[in-house]
Amino acid sequence: MTDTDRGTQRDRDSAFYLFTQQNLPACKPVLTPEWVFMTFLFIGFIFIPVGLVTLRASHSVVEIVERYDIGCVPEPFRINKVSYIQDDSIPKNCSLSFKVPKYMKAPIYIYYQLDNYYQNHRRSDKQLLHGQNQHGISSCQPVEVNNDRPIIPCGLIAWSLFNDTFTFIRNRAELKVNRKNIAWKSDREHKFGKNVYPFNFQNGTLIGGGKLNPRIPLSDQEDLIVWMRTSALPSFRKLYGRIEKDLDVDDVVVVHLMNNYNTYSFGGKKKLVLSTTSWLGGKNDFLGLAYVFIGSSSVTIAVVFTLLHLLSQRH
């Protein structure tokens, strides 16, 4: 055998050659009826218990949802709610109360929920991190500049910052709300600059939502950071704070709120949500129901396949 023949033989024995010629050893399972039956049965016996455990965890979450956008409008303005919310001379303070249905263990998370609300996606992430020296903020239009000076933060998302406020009273004593660390740590440290401060914000003729303290850097403006993480769906919740005291069953909680935010002009809804958490997070039955559905379907398919196989053997 010549050297050329030996080289050719080595090439043919190489993994690359075997792979390209599809000569590598491979596992080729034979799909026998017994194998198919056991596979579907195994999936069902795994998914159904997991789904039931997930549903149980979801049902252990205590959640209170109170809509307040309608009830906080004075009776004379119920016909024209837009004029009420746009008139600064009308007080926007409002109160609502609710009774705690079940024991709620701290921390109790406070959310505001908006429905029929589509958050705008025009913003400049580079400006949030680097400040007004950063160019390329055309995506912020039409809230880009005011009086020939840049707006920080620019864009319609920041301009429409949610600005309702809530105070919670139980037994005539105020429940302290912890509003620290409500934003993602990655957002605070990597998306919003520690040396970037609000500038020329909400100073135009058309005022949107809340205002920002110009002495506090954007990385510490957690209300803004939470708001700027935009939602993909028209109904969403955003974290407002945490109550770090337990609430007992039948406790009456009074909420004093400022109904500042305008959702009336586009038919939106505002809700206040108090919720505990489980090891899986908040209340959501979808994941558990999905597991149970898939598991039940697998068991059903396994039974059907088995019956079809047994019936076919009789003929």
Side-chain angles (χ1 to χ4, degrees), residues 126-132 152-153 192-199 214 216-221:
K126 292 182 179 180
Q127 189 214 47
L128 297 174
L129 185 61
H130 301 291
Q132 61 180 325
I152 302 177
F192 292 79
K194 296 181 180 179
N195 297 314
V196 181
Y197 293 82
F199 177 77
I216 300 178
L218 295 186
S219 60
D220 293 336
Q221 306 259 13

Side-chain angles (χ1 to χ4, degrees), residues 272-293:
L272 175 65
V273 180
L274 272 68
S275 177
T276 59
T277 58
S278 68
W279 59 276
L280 274 176
K283 189 176 183 65
N284 189 345
D285 292 342
F286 175 78
L287 183 61
L289 292 174
Y291 272 112
V292 172
F293 175 77

